Each structure stands twice: as C-alpha cells, then as structure tokens.
mmCIF file of all heavy atoms in Angstrom:
data_model
loop_
_atom_site.group_PDB
_atom_site.id
_atom_site.type_symbol
_atom_site.label_atom_id
_atom_site.label_comp_id
_atom_site.label_asym_id
_atom_site.label_seq_id
_atom_site.Cartn_x
_atom_site.Cartn_y
_atom_site.Cartn_z
ATOM 1 N N ALA A 1 -9.320 14.070 -1.283
ATOM 2 C CA ALA A 1 -8.035 13.359 -1.400
ATOM 3 C C ALA A 1 -8.086 12.317 -2.528
ATOM 4 O O ALA A 1 -7.137 12.170 -3.307
ATOM 5 C CB ALA A 1 -7.688 12.694 -0.071
ATOM 6 N N LYS A 2 -9.231 11.614 -2.631
ATOM 7 C CA LYS A 2 -9.365 10.616 -3.697
ATOM 8 C C LYS A 2 -9.293 11.272 -5.080
ATOM 9 O O LYS A 2 -8.601 10.774 -5.973
ATOM 10 C CB LYS A 2 -10.678 9.858 -3.537
ATOM 11 C CG LYS A 2 -10.924 8.848 -4.654
ATOM 12 C CD LYS A 2 -12.251 8.120 -4.489
ATOM 13 C CE LYS A 2 -12.502 7.156 -5.659
ATOM 14 N NZ LYS A 2 -13.786 6.422 -5.494
ATOM 15 N N GLU A 3 -10.017 12.364 -5.259
ATOM 16 C CA GLU A 3 -10.023 13.029 -6.553
ATOM 17 C C GLU A 3 -8.620 13.487 -6.943
ATOM 18 O O GLU A 3 -8.212 13.396 -8.118
ATOM 19 C CB GLU A 3 -10.987 14.225 -6.520
ATOM 20 C CG GLU A 3 -12.440 13.804 -6.430
ATOM 21 C CD GLU A 3 -13.375 14.987 -6.282
ATOM 22 O OE1 GLU A 3 -12.866 16.117 -6.049
ATOM 23 O OE2 GLU A 3 -14.604 14.791 -6.370
ATOM 24 N N PHE A 4 -7.847 13.967 -5.967
ATOM 25 C CA PHE A 4 -6.486 14.391 -6.265
ATOM 26 C C PHE A 4 -5.628 13.201 -6.701
ATOM 27 O O PHE A 4 -4.856 13.282 -7.660
ATOM 28 C CB PHE A 4 -5.856 15.071 -5.045
ATOM 29 C CG PHE A 4 -4.513 15.673 -5.305
ATOM 30 C CD1 PHE A 4 -4.387 16.988 -5.728
ATOM 31 C CD2 PHE A 4 -3.343 14.912 -5.153
ATOM 32 C CE1 PHE A 4 -3.137 17.537 -5.984
ATOM 33 C CE2 PHE A 4 -2.101 15.464 -5.403
ATOM 34 C CZ PHE A 4 -1.989 16.775 -5.825
ATOM 35 N N LEU A 5 -5.759 12.087 -6.009
ATOM 36 C CA LEU A 5 -4.972 10.894 -6.356
ATOM 37 C C LEU A 5 -5.332 10.372 -7.745
ATOM 38 O O LEU A 5 -4.458 9.954 -8.509
ATOM 39 C CB LEU A 5 -5.194 9.797 -5.304
ATOM 40 C CG LEU A 5 -4.609 10.084 -3.911
ATOM 41 C CD1 LEU A 5 -5.069 9.023 -2.915
ATOM 42 C CD2 LEU A 5 -3.082 10.139 -3.955
ATOM 43 N N VAL A 6 -6.610 10.414 -8.076
ATOM 44 C CA VAL A 6 -7.037 9.959 -9.406
ATOM 45 C C VAL A 6 -6.424 10.864 -10.472
ATOM 46 O O VAL A 6 -6.000 10.400 -11.548
ATOM 47 C CB VAL A 6 -8.570 9.924 -9.492
ATOM 48 C CG1 VAL A 6 -9.022 9.676 -10.932
ATOM 49 C CG2 VAL A 6 -9.126 8.850 -8.567
ATOM 50 N N GLN A 7 -6.378 12.181 -10.188
ATOM 51 C CA GLN A 7 -5.758 13.099 -11.133
ATOM 52 C C GLN A 7 -4.266 12.792 -11.329
ATOM 53 O O GLN A 7 -3.704 13.073 -12.392
ATOM 54 C CB GLN A 7 -5.920 14.541 -10.641
ATOM 55 C CG GLN A 7 -7.351 15.044 -10.679
ATOM 56 C CD GLN A 7 -7.501 16.408 -10.039
ATOM 57 O OE1 GLN A 7 -6.506 17.003 -9.583
ATOM 58 N NE2 GLN A 7 -8.721 16.926 -10.000
ATOM 59 N N GLN A 8 -3.645 12.169 -10.342
ATOM 60 C CA GLN A 8 -2.230 11.797 -10.438
ATOM 61 C C GLN A 8 -2.024 10.442 -11.113
ATOM 62 O O GLN A 8 -0.888 9.962 -11.226
ATOM 63 C CB GLN A 8 -1.594 11.758 -9.040
ATOM 64 C CG GLN A 8 -1.670 13.077 -8.284
ATOM 65 C CD GLN A 8 -1.024 14.220 -9.044
ATOM 66 O OE1 GLN A 8 0.118 14.106 -9.482
ATOM 67 N NE2 GLN A 8 -1.742 15.321 -9.209
ATOM 68 N N GLY A 9 -3.107 9.827 -11.563
ATOM 69 C CA GLY A 9 -2.986 8.578 -12.304
ATOM 70 C C GLY A 9 -3.276 7.324 -11.511
ATOM 71 O O GLY A 9 -3.069 6.208 -12.016
ATOM 72 N N VAL A 10 -3.772 7.457 -10.296
ATOM 73 C CA VAL A 10 -4.118 6.274 -9.501
ATOM 74 C C VAL A 10 -5.491 5.774 -9.940
ATOM 75 O O VAL A 10 -6.427 6.564 -10.141
ATOM 76 C CB VAL A 10 -4.123 6.606 -7.994
ATOM 77 C CG1 VAL A 10 -4.511 5.381 -7.173
ATOM 78 C CG2 VAL A 10 -2.761 7.143 -7.570
ATOM 79 N N ALA A 11 -5.614 4.451 -10.081
ATOM 80 C CA ALA A 11 -6.893 3.861 -10.523
ATOM 81 C C ALA A 11 -7.979 4.130 -9.501
ATOM 82 O O ALA A 11 -7.839 3.795 -8.316
ATOM 83 C CB ALA A 11 -6.723 2.358 -10.746
ATOM 84 N N ALA A 12 -9.084 4.720 -9.948
ATOM 85 C CA ALA A 12 -10.163 5.082 -9.028
ATOM 86 C C ALA A 12 -10.817 3.862 -8.395
ATOM 87 O O ALA A 12 -11.265 3.913 -7.228
ATOM 88 C CB ALA A 12 -11.209 5.910 -9.773
ATOM 89 N N ASP A 13 -10.863 2.711 -9.163
ATOM 90 C CA ASP A 13 -11.551 1.544 -8.613
ATOM 91 C C ASP A 13 -10.750 0.856 -7.508
ATOM 92 O O ASP A 13 -11.230 -0.075 -6.868
ATOM 93 C CB ASP A 13 -11.860 0.536 -9.719
ATOM 94 C CG ASP A 13 -10.610 0.038 -10.432
ATOM 95 O OD1 ASP A 13 -9.530 0.660 -10.267
ATOM 96 O OD2 ASP A 13 -10.685 -0.986 -11.145
ATOM 97 N N LYS A 14 -9.511 1.338 -7.286
ATOM 98 C CA LYS A 14 -8.708 0.791 -6.194
ATOM 99 C C LYS A 14 -8.888 1.583 -4.904
ATOM 100 O O LYS A 14 -8.339 1.203 -3.867
ATOM 101 C CB LYS A 14 -7.209 0.815 -6.575
ATOM 102 C CG LYS A 14 -6.861 0.070 -7.854
ATOM 103 C CD LYS A 14 -7.024 -1.431 -7.691
ATOM 104 C CE LYS A 14 -6.560 -2.177 -8.928
ATOM 105 N NZ LYS A 14 -6.756 -3.636 -8.789
ATOM 106 N N LEU A 15 -9.628 2.681 -4.979
ATOM 107 C CA LEU A 15 -9.752 3.596 -3.848
ATOM 108 C C LEU A 15 -11.182 3.600 -3.311
ATOM 109 O O LEU A 15 -12.143 3.700 -4.071
ATOM 110 C CB LEU A 15 -9.344 5.012 -4.267
ATOM 111 C CG LEU A 15 -7.927 5.165 -4.868
ATOM 112 C CD1 LEU A 15 -7.717 6.610 -5.329
ATOM 113 C CD2 LEU A 15 -6.856 4.763 -3.853
ATOM 114 N N GLN A 16 -11.289 3.497 -2.014
ATOM 115 C CA GLN A 16 -12.584 3.608 -1.333
ATOM 116 C C GLN A 16 -12.476 4.753 -0.323
ATOM 117 O O GLN A 16 -11.372 5.102 0.106
ATOM 118 C CB GLN A 16 -12.927 2.302 -0.598
ATOM 119 C CG GLN A 16 -12.963 1.071 -1.491
ATOM 120 C CD GLN A 16 -13.115 -0.224 -0.712
ATOM 121 O OE1 GLN A 16 -13.321 -0.203 0.511
ATOM 122 N NE2 GLN A 16 -13.000 -1.354 -1.407
ATOM 123 N N ILE A 17 -13.598 5.327 0.060
ATOM 124 C CA ILE A 17 -13.569 6.406 1.054
ATOM 125 C C ILE A 17 -14.472 6.040 2.223
ATOM 126 O O ILE A 17 -15.458 5.298 2.073
ATOM 127 C CB ILE A 17 -13.997 7.750 0.442
ATOM 128 C CG1 ILE A 17 -15.436 7.676 -0.071
ATOM 129 C CG2 ILE A 17 -13.025 8.181 -0.641
ATOM 130 C CD1 ILE A 17 -15.971 9.041 -0.524
ATOM 131 N N ILE A 18 -14.095 6.588 3.381
ATOM 132 C CA ILE A 18 -14.904 6.420 4.586
ATOM 133 C C ILE A 18 -14.657 7.626 5.478
ATOM 134 O O ILE A 18 -13.555 8.196 5.480
ATOM 135 C CB ILE A 18 -14.540 5.108 5.309
ATOM 136 C CG1 ILE A 18 -15.517 4.847 6.467
ATOM 137 C CG2 ILE A 18 -13.097 5.141 5.814
ATOM 138 C CD1 ILE A 18 -15.341 3.469 7.089
ATOM 139 N N SER A 19 -15.674 8.030 6.200
ATOM 140 C CA SER A 19 -15.541 9.154 7.117
ATOM 141 C C SER A 19 -15.715 8.655 8.549
ATOM 142 O O SER A 19 -16.683 7.946 8.849
ATOM 143 C CB SER A 19 -16.586 10.232 6.827
ATOM 144 O OG SER A 19 -16.520 11.253 7.809
ATOM 145 N N TYR A 20 -14.750 9.014 9.400
ATOM 146 C CA TYR A 20 -14.853 8.691 10.819
ATOM 147 C C TYR A 20 -15.208 9.931 11.651
ATOM 148 O O TYR A 20 -15.326 9.833 12.872
ATOM 149 C CB TYR A 20 -13.537 8.101 11.334
ATOM 150 C CG TYR A 20 -13.294 6.681 10.826
ATOM 151 C CD1 TYR A 20 -12.358 6.440 9.838
ATOM 152 C CD2 TYR A 20 -14.012 5.613 11.347
ATOM 153 C CE1 TYR A 20 -12.123 5.160 9.371
ATOM 154 C CE2 TYR A 20 -13.780 4.330 10.881
ATOM 155 C CZ TYR A 20 -12.847 4.098 9.894
ATOM 156 O OH TYR A 20 -12.639 2.819 9.432
ATOM 157 N N GLY A 21 -15.356 11.093 10.972
ATOM 158 C CA GLY A 21 -15.694 12.312 11.710
ATOM 159 C C GLY A 21 -14.667 12.559 12.790
ATOM 160 O O GLY A 21 -13.471 12.601 12.537
ATOM 161 N N LYS A 22 -15.193 12.693 14.034
ATOM 162 C CA LYS A 22 -14.287 12.912 15.158
ATOM 163 C C LYS A 22 -14.170 11.679 16.052
ATOM 164 O O LYS A 22 -13.682 11.763 17.173
ATOM 165 C CB LYS A 22 -14.782 14.103 15.986
ATOM 166 C CG LYS A 22 -16.184 13.936 16.565
ATOM 167 C CD LYS A 22 -16.559 15.163 17.356
ATOM 168 C CE LYS A 22 -17.967 15.027 17.964
ATOM 169 N NZ LYS A 22 -18.345 16.215 18.741
ATOM 170 N N ASP A 23 -14.585 10.499 15.516
ATOM 171 C CA ASP A 23 -14.626 9.292 16.351
ATOM 172 C C ASP A 23 -13.247 8.655 16.586
ATOM 173 O O ASP A 23 -13.085 7.924 17.563
ATOM 174 C CB ASP A 23 -15.543 8.246 15.713
ATOM 175 C CG ASP A 23 -17.011 8.687 15.743
ATOM 176 O OD1 ASP A 23 -17.323 9.579 16.551
ATOM 177 O OD2 ASP A 23 -17.798 8.151 14.950
ATOM 178 N N LYS A 24 -12.279 8.867 15.695
ATOM 179 C CA LYS A 24 -10.964 8.236 15.863
ATOM 180 C C LYS A 24 -9.877 9.307 15.843
ATOM 181 O O LYS A 24 -9.090 9.401 14.911
ATOM 182 C CB LYS A 24 -10.705 7.214 14.760
ATOM 183 C CG LYS A 24 -11.605 5.980 14.860
ATOM 184 C CD LYS A 24 -11.202 4.942 13.824
ATOM 185 C CE LYS A 24 -12.021 3.663 13.970
ATOM 186 N NZ LYS A 24 -11.602 2.619 13.018
ATOM 187 N N PRO A 25 -9.821 10.126 16.899
ATOM 188 C CA PRO A 25 -8.818 11.188 16.933
ATOM 189 C C PRO A 25 -7.420 10.607 17.110
ATOM 190 O O PRO A 25 -7.223 9.580 17.776
ATOM 191 C CB PRO A 25 -9.236 12.023 18.137
ATOM 192 C CG PRO A 25 -9.947 11.066 19.035
ATOM 193 C CD PRO A 25 -10.665 10.117 18.122
ATOM 194 N N GLN A 26 -6.451 11.260 16.508
ATOM 195 C CA GLN A 26 -5.056 10.871 16.677
ATOM 196 C C GLN A 26 -4.466 11.504 17.929
ATOM 197 O O GLN A 26 -3.505 11.011 18.487
ATOM 198 C CB GLN A 26 -4.248 11.289 15.438
ATOM 199 C CG GLN A 26 -2.879 10.631 15.317
ATOM 200 C CD GLN A 26 -2.217 10.940 13.986
ATOM 201 O OE1 GLN A 26 -2.429 12.024 13.444
ATOM 202 N NE2 GLN A 26 -1.443 9.985 13.472
ATOM 203 N N CYS A 27 -5.080 12.607 18.359
ATOM 204 C CA CYS A 27 -4.614 13.322 19.538
ATOM 205 C C CYS A 27 -5.854 13.821 20.298
ATOM 206 O O CYS A 27 -6.855 14.210 19.689
ATOM 207 C CB CYS A 27 -3.740 14.493 19.127
ATOM 208 S SG CYS A 27 -3.136 15.492 20.503
ATOM 209 N N THR A 28 -5.785 13.832 21.639
ATOM 210 C CA THR A 28 -6.968 14.199 22.443
ATOM 211 C C THR A 28 -6.774 15.467 23.261
ATOM 212 O O THR A 28 -7.623 15.817 24.086
ATOM 213 C CB THR A 28 -7.330 13.043 23.404
ATOM 214 O OG1 THR A 28 -6.199 12.738 24.238
ATOM 215 C CG2 THR A 28 -7.759 11.815 22.627
ATOM 216 N N ASP A 29 -5.668 16.186 23.036
ATOM 217 C CA ASP A 29 -5.464 17.422 23.776
ATOM 218 C C ASP A 29 -6.348 18.524 23.188
ATOM 219 O O ASP A 29 -6.527 18.613 21.971
ATOM 220 C CB ASP A 29 -4.002 17.873 23.703
ATOM 221 C CG ASP A 29 -3.074 16.886 24.428
ATOM 222 O OD1 ASP A 29 -3.565 16.155 25.311
ATOM 223 O OD2 ASP A 29 -1.861 16.833 24.061
ATOM 224 N N ALA A 30 -6.872 19.377 24.071
ATOM 225 C CA ALA A 30 -7.705 20.491 23.612
ATOM 226 C C ALA A 30 -6.808 21.657 23.255
ATOM 227 O O ALA A 30 -6.746 22.679 23.944
ATOM 228 C CB ALA A 30 -8.705 20.885 24.702
ATOM 229 N N ALA A 31 -6.094 21.533 22.147
ATOM 230 C CA ALA A 31 -5.164 22.571 21.705
ATOM 231 C C ALA A 31 -5.081 22.506 20.187
ATOM 232 O O ALA A 31 -5.346 21.472 19.563
ATOM 233 C CB ALA A 31 -3.790 22.369 22.329
ATOM 234 N N GLU A 32 -4.709 23.658 19.593
ATOM 235 C CA GLU A 32 -4.685 23.723 18.129
ATOM 236 C C GLU A 32 -3.708 22.728 17.520
ATOM 237 O O GLU A 32 -3.975 22.137 16.473
ATOM 238 C CB GLU A 32 -4.333 25.144 17.688
ATOM 239 C CG GLU A 32 -4.240 25.333 16.180
ATOM 240 C CD GLU A 32 -5.513 24.907 15.442
ATOM 241 O OE1 GLU A 32 -6.624 25.035 16.019
ATOM 242 O OE2 GLU A 32 -5.409 24.418 14.286
ATOM 243 N N GLY A 33 -2.564 22.535 18.164
ATOM 244 C CA GLY A 33 -1.619 21.565 17.636
ATOM 245 C C GLY A 33 -2.214 20.173 17.546
ATOM 246 O O GLY A 33 -1.978 19.429 16.581
ATOM 247 N N CYS A 34 -3.008 19.827 18.543
ATOM 248 C CA CYS A 34 -3.660 18.519 18.541
ATOM 249 C C CYS A 34 -4.807 18.499 17.540
ATOM 250 O O CYS A 34 -5.003 17.499 16.830
ATOM 251 C CB CYS A 34 -4.162 18.211 19.946
ATOM 252 S SG CYS A 34 -4.882 16.554 20.106
#
C-alpha cells in the first residue's frame, strides 16, 4: 500500500508501516464476509 501511494506522489518520509497480523480484527465472525 505504501509503495502504491508513493507512486501517486505521496511523500515517502510521511508514511510509516506496521503489521498487526491477526491481532486487531475488525470482525470476529468465522465467515468469508468477516
């Protein structure tokens, strides 16, 4: 996502990345939609 934004002209030094893996789910249902 960062690389795409930089290609669109966003300053790279303004962007940081972090991975939460599966620790902060937005939905907890065991279904494909979730």
Side-chain angles (χ1 to χ4, degrees):
K2 177 181 177 179
E3 291 175 350
F4 186 90
L5 291 172
V6 171
Q7 291 173 2
Q8 301 303 309
V10 179
D13 60 346
K14 303 291 185 182
L15 304 176
Q16 303 172 7
I17 62 173
I18 187 171
S19 174
Y20 288 106
K22 60 180 180 180
D23 292 341
K24 291 186 176 183
Q26 195 172 32
C27 178
T28 57
D29 294 337
E32 179 56 32
C34 184

